[in-house]
């Protein structure tokens, strides 16, 4: 098995794999759980083939880009020129601050719960079985989700609002009292009542969240997004991306139906709203990239550099400042969200970016004389 994979990896590196051979390699990666995948670079470099750790990360990036595009890591410019980047041609850039940057670790699970009483609780996946919430009920963490169970003494007339915030470099998952589930990305928040009313379920989202609604015909589920617009569930799973610092807010429907304004969206349809309030709708071929962050990946597909750098800043908790103009390019690919920041910057160095770290700030500029 190892000899066969060794030969396949050599062929993959030189672009000589057949479709069947590529599927074999991907099947091998799919058979690994996340912990084993983290150890993969050491296994391969010591026992199989002389791949650098960075090259392996790039290999994994290529494999997780989707079935039709899995064999390429590519970006395109405004002139629509497509440049294919071969793993074998990677050259590592040097920026002289690798030790300092290595202290910026990838994000992890964690959040802060603020109760309607004013009390705060840190959620880190280790709170154990149950925590009493000052007569309001109990919270527990099970199967990776925080679950809130209100006290029987709390009535539906209770107007208290609880809030969960994911700081920079944190993600969190919660199950609401009605069974609906919410994934919160870094730098995001959700506000939800102590109990839902008999005729309405309403939450407020800031930042990015993936929502799986437990549909109840008689009780609508309403999501307020940044106080800019609302989403009404009609049996649904959808992703919301609405960071205040981004130019565009979007809602992508994965399953079911939702209503935004007077429009009803079907699966794979996306609603967008610009900063000046202009809205539009479009249909996607595949919505996976919109919620792949819930599966342990950072999505960069079709992303301009400014948006990409904001995402890096949120996930690695590093202050980023852009110097001058960046290349007019978009980058495509998905990377594991546990990739070290230094490895990610080395990859981006091959896409026309220079990095300089000083005064606790990562300065980013476009390379000169890019060919």
């Amino acid at each position: 098995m190892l000899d066969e994979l060794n030969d396949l990896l050599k062929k993959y590196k030189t672009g000589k794999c057949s479709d069947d051979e590529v599927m074999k390699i991907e099947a091998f990666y799919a058979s690994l759980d996340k912990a084993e995948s983290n150890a993969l670079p050491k296994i391969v470099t010591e026992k199989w083939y002389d791949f650098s750790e960075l090259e392996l990360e790039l290999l994994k990036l290529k494999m997780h880009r989707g079935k039709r595009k899995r064999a390429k890591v590519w970006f395109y410019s405004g002139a629509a020129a497509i440049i294919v980047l071969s793993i074998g041609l990677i050259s590592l850039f040097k920026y002289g601050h690798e030790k300092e940057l290595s202290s910026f670790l990838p994000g992890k699970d964690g959040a802060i719960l603020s109760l309607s009483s004013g009390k705060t609780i840190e959620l880190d996946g280790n709170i154990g079985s149950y925590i009493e919430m000052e007569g309001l009920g109990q919270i527990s963490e099970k199967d990776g989700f925080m679950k809130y169970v209100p006290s029987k003494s709390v009535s539906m007339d209770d107007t208290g609002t609880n809030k969960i915030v994911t700081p920079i470099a944190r993600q969190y998952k919660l199950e609401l009292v009605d069974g609906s589930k919410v994934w919160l990305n870094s730098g995001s928040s959700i506000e939800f009542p102590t109990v839902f009313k008999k005729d309405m379920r309403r939450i407020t989202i800031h930042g990015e969240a993936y929502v799986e609604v437990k549909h109840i015909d008689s009780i609508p589920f309403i999501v307020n997004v940044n106080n800019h617009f609302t989403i009404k569930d009609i049996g649904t799973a959808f992703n919301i991306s609405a960071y205040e610092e981004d130019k565009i807010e979007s809602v992508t429907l994965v399953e079911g139906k939702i209503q935004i304004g007077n429009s009803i969206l079907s699966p794979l349809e996306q609603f967008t709203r610009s900063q000046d309030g202009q809205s539009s709708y479009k249909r996607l071929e595949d919505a996976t990239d919109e919620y792949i962050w819930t599966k342990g990946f950072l999505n960069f597909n079709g992303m301009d550099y400014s948006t990409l750098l904001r995402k890096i800043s949120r996930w690695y908790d590093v202050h980023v400042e852009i110097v001058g103009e960046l290349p007019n390019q978009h980058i495509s690919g998905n990377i594991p969200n546990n990739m070290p920041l230094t490895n990610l910057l080395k990859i981006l160095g091959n896409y026309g970016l220079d990095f300089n770290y000083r005064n606790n700030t990562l300065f980013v500029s476009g390379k000169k004389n890019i060919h």
Side-chain angles (χ1 to χ4, degrees):
M1 178 65 174
L2 292 182
D3 289 340
E4 180 184 4
L5 284 170
N6 181 16
D7 292 338
L8 288 179
L9 286 171
K10 289 179 182 178
K11 292 177 69 175
Y12 193 95
K13 185 179 179 183
T14 57
K16 296 179 180 179
C17 273
S18 67
D19 287 344
D20 287 342
E21 289 170 332
V22 170
M23 290 178 66
K24 282 185 179 180
I25 296 177
E26 293 192 1
F28 168 71
Y29 272 87
S31 70
L32 299 172
D33 62 26
K34 197 166 186 178
E36 291 172 330
S37 181
N38 291 343
L40 187 60
K42 183 177 180 181
I43 295 173
V44 175
T45 53
E46 290 184 357
K47 296 184 179 180
W48 296 354
Y49 190 65
D50 188 21
F51 275 67
S52 71
E53 183 172 347
L54 175 61
E55 287 175 326
L56 279 163
E57 297 290 4
L58 282 167
L59 181 61
K60 286 191 285 185
L61 182 151
K62 291 173 72 173
M63 291 180 175
H64 287 286
R65 290 200 58 251
K67 190 171 182 180
R68 291 180 302 160
K69 300 177 182 177
R70 62 192 171 204
K72 296 178 182 177
V73 179
W74 53 275
F75 67 91
Y76 56 94
S77 67
I82 298 178
I83 301 175
V84 178
L85 180 64
S86 166
I87 286 182
L89 297 179
I90 295 297
S91 60
L92 306 186
F93 76 106
K94 305 295 182 182
Y95 44 80
H97 294 281
E98 188 159 352
K99 184 175 181 180
E100 293 96 325
L101 286 169
S102 65
S103 65
F104 290 95
L105 302 177
K108 60 182 181 180
D109 288 345
I112 298 172
L113 168 63
S114 298
L115 302 176
S116 57
S117 64
K119 181 179 179 180
T120 61
I121 300 173
E122 185 173 350
L123 305 169
D124 59 3
N126 297 307
I127 64 173
S129 298
Y130 292 95
I131 289 182
E132 293 289 340
M133 292 178 14
E134 300 179 334
L136 297 176
Q138 298 174 325
I139 59 173
S140 65
E141 289 179 325
K142 184 179 180 181
D143 299 327
F145 285 87
M146 186 210 85
K147 187 172 183 179
Y148 164 58
V149 180
S151 170
K152 293 181 179 179
S153 63
V154 177
S155 73
M156 290 189 175
D157 295 326
D158 190 299
T159 58
T161 299
N162 306 304
K163 184 175 184 178
I164 291 180
V165 175
T166 47
I168 298 299
R170 293 293 183 270
Q171 291 180 345
Y172 202 67
K173 299 177 289 186
L174 63 144
E175 182 176 326
L176 299 173
V177 65
D178 66 336
S180 297
K181 296 180 179 179
V182 180
W183 287 253
L184 282 179
N185 209 344
S186 58
S188 304
S189 68
I190 177 174
E191 297 174 25
F192 58 98
T194 302
V195 290
F196 286 124
K197 297 184 179 299
K198 290 182 179 180
D199 59 349
M200 180 71 67
R201 295 171 292 164
R202 181 182 290 269
I203 64 173
T204 298
I205 294 290
H206 295 273
E208 185 164 19
Y210 181 72
V211 184
E212 288 185 354
V213 178
K214 184 174 182 180
H215 185 68
I216 303 174
D217 286 337
S218 60
I219 311 178
F221 192 100
I222 306 296
V223 183
N224 180 317
V225 181
N226 282 350
N227 296 319
H228 291 163
F229 59 91
T230 59
I231 303 167
K232 181 179 179 181
D233 149 66
I234 312 177
T236 309
F238 53 92
N239 193 78
I240 301 166
S241 182
Y243 289 106
E244 292 284 0
E245 63 270 24
D246 287 347
K247 296 178 181 179
I248 297 292
E249 299 170 323
S250 67
V251 179
T252 306
L253 182 61
V254 179
E255 297 176 4
K257 292 183 179 180
I258 55 175
Q259 181 174 339
I260 301 177
N262 295 322
S263 299
I264 294 179
L265 275 66
S266 298
L268 300 184
E269 289 186 330
Q270 184 179 73
F271 165 85
T272 59
R273 180 186 182 277
S274 61
Q275 289 178 331
D276 61 5
Q278 298 296 313
S279 60
S280 63
Y281 300 84
K282 66 179 180 181
R283 185 168 184 81
L284 306 178
E285 292 184 6
D286 186 354
T288 305
D289 286 340
E290 304 302 319
Y291 64 89
I292 199 169
W293 62 270
T294 68
K295 309 297 183 182
F297 291 90
L298 296 177
N299 170 47
F300 298 144
N301 272 329
M303 194 168 291
D304 63 79
Y305 282 148
S306 295
T307 304
L308 179 150
L309 291 170
R310 286 195 296 272
K311 180 172 287 192
I312 290 174
S313 177
R314 284 193 292 261
W315 187 239
Y316 291 92
D317 194 12
V318 57
H319 179 65
V320 176
E321 187 169 321
I322 297 173
V323 180
E325 292 187 4
L326 299 179
N328 182 26
Q329 298 165 343
H330 291 65
I331 190 168
S332 288
N334 298 319
I335 66 166
N337 67 9
N338 59 1
M339 177 184 286
L341 177 60
T342 50
N343 280 16
L344 177 54
L345 297 184
K346 289 171 183 176
I347 292 173
L348 295 177
N350 289 278
Y351 288 91
L353 296 182
D354 270 330
F355 301 92
N356 186 9
Y357 182 73
R358 64 180 187 275
N359 300 327
N360 298 317
T361 299
L362 181 64
F363 294 92
V364 185
S365 59
K367 285 185 177 179
K368 297 180 180 179
N369 301 319
I370 301 173
H371 299 289

Short mmCIF file of all heavy atoms in Angstrom, two decimals, residues 178-180 201 212-221 232-236 257:
data_model
loop_
_atom_site.label_atom_id
_atom_site.label_comp_id
_atom_site.label_asym_id
_atom_site.label_seq_id
_atom_site.Cartn_x
_atom_site.Cartn_y
_atom_site.Cartn_z
N ASP A 178 -35.40 25.13 20.36
CA ASP A 178 -36.36 24.49 19.46
C ASP A 178 -35.73 23.37 18.64
O ASP A 178 -36.40 22.72 17.84
CB ASP A 178 -36.98 25.52 18.52
CG ASP A 178 -35.95 26.11 17.55
OD1 ASP A 178 -34.74 26.09 17.89
OD2 ASP A 178 -36.34 26.59 16.47
N GLY A 179 -34.41 23.13 18.81
CA GLY A 179 -33.72 22.10 18.05
C GLY A 179 -32.98 22.62 16.83
O GLY A 179 -32.25 21.87 16.17
N SER A 180 -33.17 23.89 16.48
CA SER A 180 -32.41 24.49 15.38
C SER A 180 -30.94 24.59 15.77
O SER A 180 -30.60 24.79 16.94
CB SER A 180 -32.95 25.88 15.04
OG SER A 180 -34.29 25.80 14.59
N ARG A 201 -40.29 32.69 16.43
CA ARG A 201 -38.91 32.42 16.86
C ARG A 201 -38.02 33.42 16.14
O ARG A 201 -37.99 33.44 14.91
CB ARG A 201 -38.51 30.98 16.51
CG ARG A 201 -39.30 29.91 17.23
CD ARG A 201 -38.99 28.53 16.67
NE ARG A 201 -39.49 28.37 15.31
CZ ARG A 201 -39.11 27.40 14.48
NH1 ARG A 201 -38.20 26.52 14.84
NH2 ARG A 201 -39.64 27.33 13.26
N GLU A 212 -29.21 25.75 10.51
CA GLU A 212 -30.11 24.65 10.14
C GLU A 212 -31.36 24.78 11.00
O GLU A 212 -31.33 24.54 12.21
CB GLU A 212 -29.45 23.29 10.38
CG GLU A 212 -28.36 22.95 9.39
CD GLU A 212 -27.80 21.55 9.58
OE1 GLU A 212 -28.20 20.88 10.57
OE2 GLU A 212 -26.97 21.13 8.76
N VAL A 213 -32.44 25.19 10.37
CA VAL A 213 -33.67 25.48 11.11
C VAL A 213 -34.53 24.22 11.25
O VAL A 213 -34.73 23.48 10.28
CB VAL A 213 -34.49 26.57 10.38
CG1 VAL A 213 -35.80 26.83 11.12
CG2 VAL A 213 -33.68 27.85 10.27
N LYS A 214 -35.02 23.99 12.45
CA LYS A 214 -36.02 22.95 12.66
C LYS A 214 -37.37 23.58 12.33
O LYS A 214 -37.89 24.40 13.08
CB LYS A 214 -36.00 22.43 14.10
CG LYS A 214 -36.98 21.28 14.32
CD LYS A 214 -36.85 20.69 15.71
CE LYS A 214 -37.80 19.52 15.89
NZ LYS A 214 -37.69 18.92 17.25
N HIS A 215 -37.91 23.19 11.20
CA HIS A 215 -39.11 23.86 10.70
C HIS A 215 -40.34 23.46 11.51
O HIS A 215 -40.57 22.28 11.79
CB HIS A 215 -39.33 23.50 9.23
CG HIS A 215 -40.48 24.23 8.61
ND1 HIS A 215 -40.47 25.58 8.40
CD2 HIS A 215 -41.69 23.79 8.18
CE1 HIS A 215 -41.62 25.95 7.85
NE2 HIS A 215 -42.37 24.88 7.72
N ILE A 216 -41.10 24.47 11.90
CA ILE A 216 -42.38 24.28 12.58
C ILE A 216 -43.40 25.15 11.86
O ILE A 216 -43.28 26.39 11.87
CB ILE A 216 -42.30 24.67 14.07
CG1 ILE A 216 -41.20 23.87 14.78
CG2 ILE A 216 -43.65 24.44 14.76
CD1 ILE A 216 -40.96 24.30 16.22
N ASP A 217 -44.36 24.53 11.20
CA ASP A 217 -45.30 25.27 10.35
C ASP A 217 -45.96 26.43 11.08
O ASP A 217 -46.13 27.52 10.53
CB ASP A 217 -46.39 24.33 9.82
CG ASP A 217 -45.86 23.41 8.72
OD1 ASP A 217 -44.86 23.78 8.09
OD2 ASP A 217 -46.45 22.33 8.52
N SER A 218 -46.34 26.20 12.33
CA SER A 218 -47.13 27.20 13.06
C SER A 218 -46.29 28.28 13.74
O SER A 218 -46.84 29.25 14.25
CB SER A 218 -48.00 26.50 14.11
OG SER A 218 -47.18 25.79 15.04
N ILE A 219 -44.95 28.09 13.74
CA ILE A 219 -44.09 29.07 14.43
C ILE A 219 -42.97 29.50 13.49
O ILE A 219 -41.97 28.78 13.36
CB ILE A 219 -43.50 28.48 15.74
CG1 ILE A 219 -44.59 27.84 16.59
CG2 ILE A 219 -42.80 29.59 16.53
CD1 ILE A 219 -44.06 27.19 17.85
N PRO A 220 -43.10 30.63 12.82
CA PRO A 220 -42.05 31.09 11.89
C PRO A 220 -40.71 31.29 12.60
O PRO A 220 -40.66 31.61 13.79
CB PRO A 220 -42.60 32.43 11.38
CG PRO A 220 -44.06 32.39 11.67
CD PRO A 220 -44.23 31.56 12.90
N PHE A 221 -39.63 31.08 11.85
CA PHE A 221 -38.27 31.31 12.35
C PHE A 221 -37.71 32.50 11.57
O PHE A 221 -37.56 32.45 10.35
CB PHE A 221 -37.41 30.07 12.12
CG PHE A 221 -36.09 30.10 12.84
CD1 PHE A 221 -35.91 29.43 14.04
CD2 PHE A 221 -35.01 30.80 12.32
CE1 PHE A 221 -34.69 29.45 14.71
CE2 PHE A 221 -33.78 30.83 12.97
CZ PHE A 221 -33.63 30.15 14.18
N LYS A 232 -36.83 34.79 6.55
CA LYS A 232 -37.91 33.97 7.10
C LYS A 232 -37.74 32.55 6.59
O LYS A 232 -37.66 32.31 5.39
CB LYS A 232 -39.28 34.51 6.69
CG LYS A 232 -40.45 33.70 7.26
CD LYS A 232 -41.79 34.29 6.85
CE LYS A 232 -42.94 33.46 7.41
NZ LYS A 232 -44.26 34.00 7.00
N ASP A 233 -37.68 31.61 7.52
CA ASP A 233 -37.48 30.20 7.18
C ASP A 233 -38.75 29.57 6.63
O ASP A 233 -39.85 29.84 7.10
CB ASP A 233 -37.05 29.43 8.43
CG ASP A 233 -37.53 27.99 8.40
OD1 ASP A 233 -37.07 27.24 7.53
OD2 ASP A 233 -38.38 27.62 9.23
N ILE A 234 -38.54 28.73 5.59
CA ILE A 234 -39.63 27.88 5.11
C ILE A 234 -39.08 26.46 5.01
O ILE A 234 -39.20 25.78 4.00
CB ILE A 234 -40.17 28.39 3.75
CG1 ILE A 234 -40.43 29.90 3.79
CG2 ILE A 234 -41.46 27.67 3.38
CD1 ILE A 234 -40.89 30.49 2.48
N GLY A 235 -38.39 25.99 6.05
CA GLY A 235 -37.80 24.65 6.09
C GLY A 235 -36.41 24.66 5.49
O GLY A 235 -36.27 24.40 4.30
N THR A 236 -35.36 24.90 6.27
CA THR A 236 -34.19 25.53 5.67
C THR A 236 -32.84 25.20 6.30
O THR A 236 -32.74 24.99 7.49
CB THR A 236 -34.37 27.06 5.80
OG1 THR A 236 -35.62 27.41 5.29
CG2 THR A 236 -33.31 27.81 5.07
N LYS A 257 -36.36 26.43 1.65
CA LYS A 257 -36.72 27.73 1.10
C LYS A 257 -36.62 28.78 2.18
O LYS A 257 -36.84 28.50 3.36
CB LYS A 257 -38.15 27.71 0.54
CG LYS A 257 -38.35 26.86 -0.70
CD LYS A 257 -39.78 26.98 -1.22
CE LYS A 257 -39.97 26.14 -2.47
NZ LYS A 257 -41.36 26.24 -2.99
#
